[in-house]
Amino acid sequence: MPSHDAPPRAGSAPPSDHGGRPVHDADVLVLRGGRVLDPASGHDGEADVVIERGTIVRMGRGAAEGFEGEGVTSIDCRGRWVAPGFIDLHVHFREPGQEYKEDIASGLRAAAAGGFTAVCAMPNTRPVNDNRAITELMVARAREVGGARLFPFGAITLGSKGEQLTEMADMKDAGAVGVSDDGVCVMNAAVMRRALEYAATFDLMVSQHCEDHHLTAGAQMHEGAIATKLGLRGWPREAEDIIVARDVLLNVRARARYHVAHLSTKGAAAMVREAKARGQRVTAEVTPHHLLLTDHALLGYPTSCKVTPPLREAEDVEAMIEALRDGTLDCIATDHAPHSPIEKDCEMSAASPGMIGLETTIPLLLGLVREGKLGALRLIEALSTSPARISGIEGGRLGPGARGDVVVLDPDLRWTVGRDTLQSKSLNSPWLGHELTGACMTTFVAGKAVWER
Ligand code: DOR
């Protein structure tokens, strides 16, 4: 698009600070007539959004009036949803170490294609991101690639071995958004207590993978009738519940920013609800797959459905939806966990746990909205405003002064999940080959299109 010295504007437009300086591509971006969902202000209705130099300057009905002509990119959003860019607190990109599954470039492309403008990368890379150098490497690589923004989690313990605490302050300095040993649980209560206390001293978020490994040794799926039928060793709900209960207790005194990763059981949801009611510092996330699938999905032994924590039962899924609706579960995080055929085309016990999720989240969860199980504004809040609040990452709102991180969705577009439609390097999704309804059409980061369908 052509550049110009001073963008055209009308009387109702806010004052400009361009002062004749050169302006770049998409200096003024106008999203016209979409269904604008802004959970931060409670707005859900037809409106325009105007982004100038990477920042939202106007939002509302008729807000685009006067913004036209040269230097203004105008996008007709009628029939589309316009929302704050999504923020994912839980993805696994495999760089450094296992780039054949996903690297930072492909991961960030998948994020943008799914409507995510910021993602938090878990530290279970090879080697584990347990020090400043690796955090810096990830941040630098993401900057080089551009597009969606990447915020690494550093490990809680060295090598995520659960023994010695990492230099969390150092990693925070280098850009870590929080700490987690995700993939494994910090099993030693004394270590976890120290981790909470230490992280609290500089208000760093601590995300826990809640799994008592003694109770899950050899487990391939949720413990229940289906596991018995399939002859697979089960992982009982208690393995998750015990750790949530323990950590909530430990955090009474520590008062750290404690966060439960990929919560999956009805008991853990009840505990988080009660802890919040007591005024305790705890937040929690839920994955799309734990909102949609049960252990029945394991019938036929599809390794794409092997995840940790495992897919639970219908009563857990109902409890997840209820807890998401009432705010017990603050946000939705994908736990995007790419694996190659080497790790997945094998027997269940040899398969790595995890499924990809960045690009299927929106169509899948729009299904819950269509079924009347979840409000549209709450869905957008759980994908943007809430994770922004929990992590401190800027974003999650559309009003004047907000970052121009915005997604435009087509809730009705049908597409088939496959190699030619996904940006991720990996295809380990139970929805591979399925037709889904709803897609992210355009993703803007600071007003710049980083994805266009
Ligand atoms: O399913 C999962 N896969 N859960 C985790 O906690 C780790 C992840 C991975 O890294 O593949």
Side-chain angles (χ1 to χ4, degrees), residues 90 92 94 124 182-183 209 262 306-309 335 337 339 353-355:
H90 194 142
H92 298 271
R94 309 297 190 186
N124 61 339
D182 188 66
H209 171 115
H262 45 47
K306 178 177 175 181
V307 282
T308 41
D335 196 2
H339 292 293
M355 61 173 79

